[in-house]
Amino acid sequence: MDPQTARRPGARPSWCGPLLYTAVASVVLVGVTASGTTHVTAQTRGGTGLVSSSASPTAGAQAADASRTPEATVESVATTASPTPTPPAVDRDALLAEAMESVAVEDGARVSVAVLDPDSGQSAVYGEGSFDTASIVKVDILAALLLQAQDAGRELTAAEKSYATAMIKSSDNVSASELWDAIGRAEGLAAANERFGLSGTEGGNGALWGLTQTTAADQLALLEQVFGEESELSEASRAYLRGLMGDIEVGQDWGVSAVGSEPQFALKNGWLPRSQTGLWVINSIGRVTVDGHAYLVTALSQGNSTKAKGISLVEAAARAAVSSLRDADV
């Protein structure tokens, strides 16, 4: 919105003759002659001199000036305040896109990344399209199981807890398959995701949970369900899932954890070599802490020639995402 001034500088009183105002601040001197004629002299500060004019006073002016001597003067100064300009809105998506220009992506690969500052609510997303989830879908599977248990008013069984622990902490696929069946596979995942606010995620066909399709923005929404206060999951369910994500097996703690300067993170990674192409799907989602401040980050990639190159890509994308959001808030 364009700024507006309080009033037009140099507005002329109705009882004056023509005056020329060329500066912001003006001084008006009013004198009363012995004959009762009002003499008005206008002077500007920082501008040229102005003309004078004389006029017969009105009855109200005569009454107001009755107590003055002929030499009495009244000085008034009118000024206009300078408006404070509205700062332009920050395009955080554009800043993230700019930061991603320095991230090397090999030919044939693609990447998408999203970041959220839970305290300020500011976020940014880079990249389009859907990606295979590989093992990051295990967070979604457990969230769906916990939601179903809540609806039924029950706790997870001992077997479900055992599967959940192995599925998240060590990325055990057999456990994931057991819980995928328990939630009702893709149909059960879709029902939970509708409540979680994930609109771009579609469960894999049949038993193929690792080929669930998702977006970086949807994974960010899922992390908000796990780490945020406004969630379909109860505090107990969120704490349970966060605890497992914060205790990932050594050797599987790469990915978004590369962003933080402190060993405070909770994450789930996914990696999958596609049998038809031999190219790698490498994904990482989670919460990281930088200088005492938490961020939610999701980094998805596919078409990587090796697992190591895919890991390097998602880590670089995650660093660029957090850095762009931090720079925008400085």
Side-chain angles (χ1 to χ4, degrees):
M1 183 181 292
D2 292 332
Q4 297 179 350
T5 55
R7 63 186 180 88
R8 178 172 169 265
R12 187 172 71 237
S14 60
W15 44 265
C16 285
L19 299 179
L20 174 62
Y21 286 77
T22 60
V24 173
S26 301
V27 177
V28 179
L29 301 180
V30 181
V32 182
T33 65
S35 61
T37 301
T38 302
H39 184 71
V40 181
T41 302
Q43 298 176 339
T44 38
R45 296 181 177 178
T48 60
L50 305 182
V51 297
S52 302
S53 64
S54 299
S56 297
T58 62
Q62 290 174 335
D65 291 341
S67 61
R68 299 177 182 155
T69 63
E71 292 80 14
T73 61
V74 177
E75 180 178 292
S76 63
V77 179
T79 61
T80 56
S82 299
T84 302
T86 302
V90 177
D91 188 340
R92 289 173 172 78
D93 288 350
L95 290 177
L96 175 52
E98 183 179 349
M100 285 296 294
E101 290 178 2
S102 63
V103 175
V105 183
E106 61 181 325
D107 291 342
R110 66 187 183 96
V111 62
S112 182
V113 62
V115 60
L116 169 71
D117 179 346
D119 290 340
S120 68
Q122 301 298 336
S123 64
V125 180
Y126 170 85
E128 298 178 345
S130 297
F131 294 74
D132 294 325
T133 57
S135 286
I136 61 170
V137 74
K138 293 169 181 175
V139 174
D140 205 0
I141 292 173
L142 182 51
L145 178 66
L146 289 166
L147 185 62
Q148 290 178 357
Q150 284 178 205
D151 291 345
R154 68 173 182 86
E155 300 290 329
L156 296 187
T157 66
E160 288 172 335
K161 288 181 178 179
S162 178
Y163 289 139
T165 299
M167 178 179 71
I168 299 298
K169 292 181 62 174
S170 59
S171 203
D172 182 68
N173 291 336
V174 173
S175 296
S177 294
E178 290 288 344
L179 295 185
W180 178 249
D181 290 342
I183 65 170
R185 295 188 172 184
E187 184 177 351
L189 191 75
N193 283 345
E194 183 176 1
R195 292 167 64 181
F196 292 153
L198 278 63
S199 59
T201 298
E202 184 177 350
N205 292 327
L208 302 178
W209 47 261
L211 296 185
T212 295
Q213 294 285 296
T214 194
T215 64
D218 260 22
Q219 290 304 298
L220 199 61
L222 177 61
L223 291 177
E224 287 188 85
Q225 290 291 313
V226 177
F227 294 98
E229 296 298 324
E230 297 182 5
S231 173
E232 291 290 320
L233 297 173
S234 68
E235 173 55 35
S237 293
R238 298 197 305 273
Y240 178 69
L241 224 172
R242 290 194 300 260
L244 294 178
M245 293 177 69
D247 192 24
I248 296 298
E249 186 175 281
V250 174
Q252 296 186 17
D253 53 359
W254 45 265
V256 297
S257 58
V259 174
S261 56
E262 308 166 36
Q264 298 180 28
F265 58 84
L267 60 77
K268 183 69 190 80
N269 295 326
W271 58 100
L272 173 68
R274 296 307 307 268
S275 57
Q276 294 180 340
T277 64
L279 300 176
W280 285 80
V281 172
I282 303 292
N283 302 323
S284 184
I285 64 172
R287 181 182 64 182
V288 297
T289 302
V290 182
D291 297 330
H293 198 93
Y295 297 88
L296 303 182
V297 190
T298 69
L300 312 180
S301 74
Q302 67 181 36
N304 302 285
S305 60
T306 67
K307 180 181 179 181
K309 287 185 177 180
I311 291 175
S312 295
L313 176 56
V314 297
E315 288 183 345
R319 281 192 292 264
V322 172
S323 129
S324 71
L325 206 62
R326 284 166 60 85
D327 290 346
D329 294 333
V330 172

